[in-house]
Amino acid sequence: MPRTGLRLKIVLFIGITGCFGYVHAQDAGAQLPNAPIANADDASAETVQEAVNGDADPETFDTLPMAPETTVTPPQNRSSNTGSGSPLANPGSAPVAVPAQVSSNDTGNSTSANGTSNVPSNSVVTDSRSLRPGNQVGSSMTVISREAIRNTGQASVAAVLRSVPGLDVVSQGGPGQQTSVFMRGANSNQTKVMLDGMPMNDPGSPGRGFDFSTLTVDEVERIEVLRGPQSTLYGSDAIGGVINIITRKGGEPITVVSSEGGSFSSSRTTARTAGGNDRLYYALGGSYNDTNGFSAAALPPGNTEADFYRNGTISGRLGWQATEQLAVDIVARHTDSDTGTDGFPPPTFTLQDDLSSLEQVSTVMRAQATWTTADGIWSHRLGSGYSEFERTFFSDFGGTFYGRTGRLDWQNDLLLVDQEDVRWQLTSGIDFLEEVARNDTVPQARQGNLAGYFQTNIDLNDRLFLGAGARWDDYSRAGSAFTYRITGRYNATEATALHGAIGTGFRAPALDELLGLVGNPLLNPEQSKGWEAGVQQRLLDQQITLDATYFRNDFNDLIQFEFDPLAPGPFGGTLQNVKQALASGVELTSLWALTDETTLFANYTFTDTRDRSTGDPLLRRPKNKWAFGFSRYYPNNRANVTLQALYVGDRTDVGTVLDDYWFVNLAAWYRFNESWRTFGRIDNLLAQDYQPVAGYQGTPFSAYAGLELRF
């Protein structure tokens, strides 16, 4: 089919959907109150009372989210068959990373700093690109709240993600070194990373992967990790899943500054200010990290040169509720970093200390407008933004790599039915994407993508929650891809629920794979099909939540280098769609609200990966991974102690098998009064020597402490 005709059909399909929404909205009349921009984690009424009493964190009111957003409000104030009265905290306020499905079914009103009401505090946004109570989600999903991030004491997003089931976070050394995330056995470039609605995968990297090494937790409100193929809503790269990072919005006026120091002559300074009212809010924050670091190359046989790391990050967000129907949001983030690296210098060309370094600069910006019509039944969101990455290597094999992504998207959410026993919502949209990349050997190249998608969610009797969707992507260079996704959750009793999902994913070839030194312009997209099925059980008057999920992903047309003496170029081969792989396993999670102040968690992931052509396991994916720990508050929320222990089993790397290891972190904070708080953490409490990647050193025992002032 000619691509011009295909694009026209996509536009006509979405346009017809929108017109149908307009007719339905006119016929339906007023069914819902006007709803301003939905905030998935606004402060609850109980939190408001705590603030009046002086017990709540003042920054509780600086919430949430930019994207994905909708103004269609989830069902509220309904009778429920599950989860009522659970002592477990909702995902948006939990002290540790938790499954989204532990949400209570109390959908009572909550109040945000700008006066928005009728927004539940137990919602998530990534599963459907619109607000949805977490305990209605059929896919496996983990939510890391701002409170959980603060309790870890960590400064990087990668460090916060380590305990999430199904994820393997792999760093080639210390702070600032290359850091990849493997999700459910998929390649690291098959994980979609989003920041406030903008894709963060770098089109200038060889496979459009995202390097987490410089991404800090500054201004991060929550992180939602959605596992399994998600290309139906998020397009290319969402084969393993999606990591959606949502930044903070303004609320009550507040200014916070902090400073900390510790091992390896490290220092970190942060500052943020935020404020707002019913119509306008703002938030601005930043940090500067400086450390001498430690050798990225493993110590034996004598690599002792410290690899420094410096990172400056600034992040801001501005929002305007222009009318009851129209709201505008603008976000921006800029990072500039400089990292000492180790390399493979001549004459031995083996990994060792050298004086190489890496400079990285990244910028992300996005603006969106949300317009609600027909008393909240139908909403539109029009957004535009770009992300830009530039990496310069100073070494014997140095060079500059540049990548830029521009995005224009339109989404409309239509509430077709909102009855006591049935709720039916339709989401549809169009995404336009342009990628630009260049490096020292490939002149500037670009490719565009036009995609159309839809998803429908049907809720029956507050017991059965079904979702289905489909998408068509058409890349100007990489070809087209069709994907689909079906999810379901059945709350059988107050304590037992069944959940499952099946779907497909794809990754379009990156520009370097198409046009680079070993590139092949005839490459097709990588494809996957994945499914999962699980059961959730609550015990002890719902103080304990257990979940067991089986998953399987089949990967086809994977791109790898193939030797070919007839291929052009000096390398004797080219990239081809020849590889097939399989990943299957089990995720077990448990959460126990031992008391009002103490939460225990434990999860286990078994992942069996296999290269179908050789039978070998895929590199750097451990079969066994454990994570467990606790978070304990002390009276009046004056202090917290959090311990997280991670066990990573044996795993295959290039030419070797890496030993298993334990990685234990301990963090604590104490609030002297409403203005002053002290905090600290210990990384690698057991002082384990380990290699996360063959030849690279893991984080040694280290300690940090600091002081925070808010006014």
Side-chain angles (χ1 to χ4, degrees):
M1 179 182 296
R3 290 185 176 175
T4 302
L6 173 64
R7 293 175 180 174
L8 179 60
K9 289 185 177 182
I10 293 174
V11 173
L12 287 175
F13 171 77
I14 303 302
I16 291 171
T17 303
C19 291
F20 174 71
Y22 177 78
V23 173
H24 174 82
Q26 294 298 313
D27 291 341
Q31 295 185 24
L32 288 176
N34 286 330
I37 286 184
N39 302 310
D41 188 28
D42 286 330
S44 66
E46 291 79 7
T47 305
V48 174
Q49 185 59 48
E50 289 176 357
V52 173
N53 297 336
D55 296 332
D57 179 356
E59 289 193 283
T60 300
F61 297 96
D62 299 346
T63 53
L64 191 79
M66 167 115 184
E69 276 185 326
T70 181
T71 54
V72 175
T73 308
Q76 298 164 34
N77 296 325
R78 296 186 177 176
S79 60
S80 170
N81 295 295
T82 65
S84 179
S86 170
L88 293 169
N90 283 325
S93 57
V96 296
V98 300
Q101 292 82 356
V102 304
S103 300
S104 70
N105 246 11
D106 177 10
T107 54
N109 293 349
S110 60
T111 303
S112 72
N114 61 7
T116 347
S117 62
N118 297 320
V119 179
S121 63
N122 62 354
S123 295
V124 294
V125 294
T126 310
D127 174 70
S128 60
R129 287 180 67 146
S130 61
L131 280 170
R132 188 170 180 81
N135 58 8
Q136 298 179 5
V137 174
S139 300
S140 295
M141 185 176 183
T142 298
V143 178
I144 308 173
S145 69
R146 175 167 52 89
E147 189 72 8
I149 294 172
R150 182 175 68 169
N151 288 344
T152 67
Q154 298 291 340
S156 72
V157 170
V160 172
L161 292 172
R162 291 187 187 278
S163 64
V164 174
L167 264 64
D168 297 306
V169 180
V170 179
S171 298
Q172 296 180 190
Q177 307 296 331
Q178 172 75 37
T179 303
S180 305
V181 173
F182 301 87
M183 191 180 301
R184 281 188 170 176
N187 290 333
S188 59
N189 60 1
Q190 294 173 340
T191 296
K192 186 84 166 189
V193 182
M194 307 285 290
L195 179 73
D196 287 328
M198 271 305 300
M200 293 284 283
N201 296 59
D202 180 7
S205 67
R208 203 192 296 103
F210 177 70
D211 179 5
F212 281 83
S213 63
T214 64
L215 183 58
T216 65
V217 299
D218 297 295
E219 294 301 296
V220 173
E221 174 60 33
R222 68 156 65 179
I223 304 171
E224 296 184 352
V225 181
L226 182 62
R227 299 186 288 282
Q230 307 297 333
S231 289
T232 299
L233 290 180
Y234 295 100
S236 178
D237 310 325
I239 286 180
V242 174
I243 298 175
N244 185 25
I245 301 164
I246 303 168
T247 61
R248 303 167 69 174
K249 61 177 288 185
E252 282 198 347
I254 189 171
T255 298
V256 183
V257 295
S258 71
S259 181
E260 70 175 280
S263 299
F264 316 116
S265 300
S266 300
S267 65
R268 180 171 186 257
T269 303
T270 72
R272 79 176 305 264
T273 184
N277 53 37
D278 291 344
R279 290 293 184 185
L280 186 69
Y281 72 80
Y282 66 90
L284 179 66
S287 69
Y288 182 74
N289 297 264
D290 189 352
T291 179
N292 288 345
F294 53 88
S295 174
L299 293 178
N303 296 309
T304 59
E305 175 224 6
D307 290 313
F308 66 89
Y309 172 59
R310 293 187 288 269
N311 179 311
T313 295
I314 186 169
S315 179
R317 181 170 170 180
L318 178 67
W320 177 37
Q321 189 74 43
T323 68
E324 290 186 354
Q325 288 77 35
L326 178 63
V328 179
D329 273 292
I330 302 173
V331 295
R333 188 180 186 94
H334 180 79
T335 299
D336 193 334
S337 69
D338 189 8
T339 307
T341 60
D342 291 331
F344 301 82
T348 62
F349 298 103
T350 58
L351 178 62
Q352 58 187 287
D353 286 341
D354 66 10
L355 299 179
S356 60
S357 65
L358 167 64
E359 290 184 0
Q360 300 185 76
V361 179
S362 65
T363 302
V364 181
M365 296 190 68
R366 177 173 170 84
Q368 70 178 32
T370 304
W371 181 43
T372 307
T373 61
D375 294 322
I377 295 172
W378 190 32
S379 71
H380 301 269
R381 190 196 70 209
L382 180 64
S384 178
Y386 80 95
S387 57
E388 185 177 52
F389 302 87
E390 184 167 7
R391 295 169 291 126
T392 303
F393 292 87
F394 298 93
S395 67
D396 293 321
F397 305 98
T400 298
F401 299 82
Y402 174 84
R404 184 180 74 243
T405 299
R407 185 185 186 198
L408 178 66
D409 57 274
W410 171 55
Q411 177 178 318
N412 73 87
D413 299 288
L414 174 63
L415 186 59
L416 295 168
V417 178
D418 186 29
Q419 304 297 330
E420 181 67 24
D421 55 351
V422 178
R423 189 175 192 273
W424 181 15
Q425 179 174 314
L426 177 66
T427 297
S428 59
I430 298 173
D431 285 346
F432 175 74
L433 197 74
E434 183 187 55
E435 296 180 338
V436 177
R438 66 173 181 266
N439 56 49
D440 292 345
T441 58
V442 177
Q444 181 160 300
R446 65 183 66 224
Q447 67 174 338
N449 177 53
L450 180 64
Y453 65 89
F454 79 92
Q455 175 167 293
T456 183
N457 290 293
I458 301 176
D459 308 339
L460 302 174
N461 297 313
D462 280 337
R463 280 186 178 272
L464 181 62
F465 308 96
L466 302 174
R471 179 186 181 105
W472 184 270
D473 287 81
D474 185 30
Y475 275 81
S476 59
R477 290 183 182 271
S480 59
F482 170 78
T483 53
Y484 68 86
R485 177 172 173 253
I486 301 171
T487 67
R489 179 179 174 88
Y490 176 61
N491 294 330
T493 69
E494 292 185 357
T496 305
L498 306 176
H499 58 87
I502 184 170
T504 56
F506 81 99
R507 186 185 74 85
L511 285 165
D512 190 72
E513 292 172 314
L514 293 166
L515 305 172
L517 291 176
V518 294
N520 179 357
L522 300 180
L523 288 174
N524 295 315
E526 297 179 334
Q527 305 279 351
S528 77
K529 181 178 181 180
W531 63 274
E532 64 177 76
V535 58
Q536 177 181 294
Q537 182 68 44
R538 293 184 172 183
L539 305 171
L540 296 182
D541 196 23
Q542 308 200 31
Q543 293 182 6
I544 297 177
T545 297
L546 306 175
D547 189 277
T549 300
Y550 173 84
F551 66 88
R552 173 175 172 137
N553 291 320
D554 289 272
F555 311 105
N556 296 301
D557 293 330
L558 298 180
I559 297 170
Q560 74 173 19
F561 180 80
E562 287 288 299
F563 288 102
D564 181 0
L566 300 179
F571 297 98
T574 186
L575 296 176
Q576 301 286 344
N577 291 104
V578 294
K579 189 174 180 180
Q580 294 182 329
L582 165 69
S584 61
V586 176
E587 294 169 354
L588 305 177
T589 64
S590 63
L591 193 67
W592 184 7
L594 185 63
T595 67
D596 290 342
E597 297 84 15
T598 304
T599 302
L600 310 178
F601 76 93
N603 62 66
Y604 167 72
T605 304
F606 172 80
T607 307
D608 183 22
T609 62
R610 185 166 67 252
D611 183 328
R612 286 188 178 275
S613 60
T614 65
D616 296 331
L618 302 181
L619 300 181
R620 300 173 187 171
R621 282 82 146 181
K623 272 194 174 183
N624 299 289
K625 173 191 169 185
W626 286 91
F628 60 86
F630 70 87
S631 184
R632 161 74 176 174
Y633 289 98
Y634 290 88
N636 298 320
N637 197 32
R638 295 186 68 91
N640 174 272
V641 176
T642 296
L643 182 138
Q644 294 187 341
L646 177 69
Y647 170 79
V648 178
D650 297 346
R651 59 230 177 271
T652 302
D653 208 335
V654 179
T656 187
V657 175
L658 298 174
D659 292 335
D660 62 342
Y661 67 90
W662 284 92
F663 191 70
V664 181
N665 293 343
L666 178 66
W669 56 262
Y670 178 80
R671 181 159 58 95
F672 297 103
N673 50 45
E674 293 183 356
S675 299
W676 292 96
R677 183 175 72 96
T678 186
F679 54 92
R681 78 176 193 273
I682 299 175
D683 292 340
N684 196 356
L685 183 65
L686 303 182
Q688 287 255 297
D689 292 327
Y690 68 97
Q691 292 187 14
V693 177
Y696 290 89
Q697 182 180 188
T699 301
F701 175 90
S702 49
Y704 309 86
L707 194 64
E708 176 187 271
L709 170 65
R710 59 184 63 192
F711 51 91

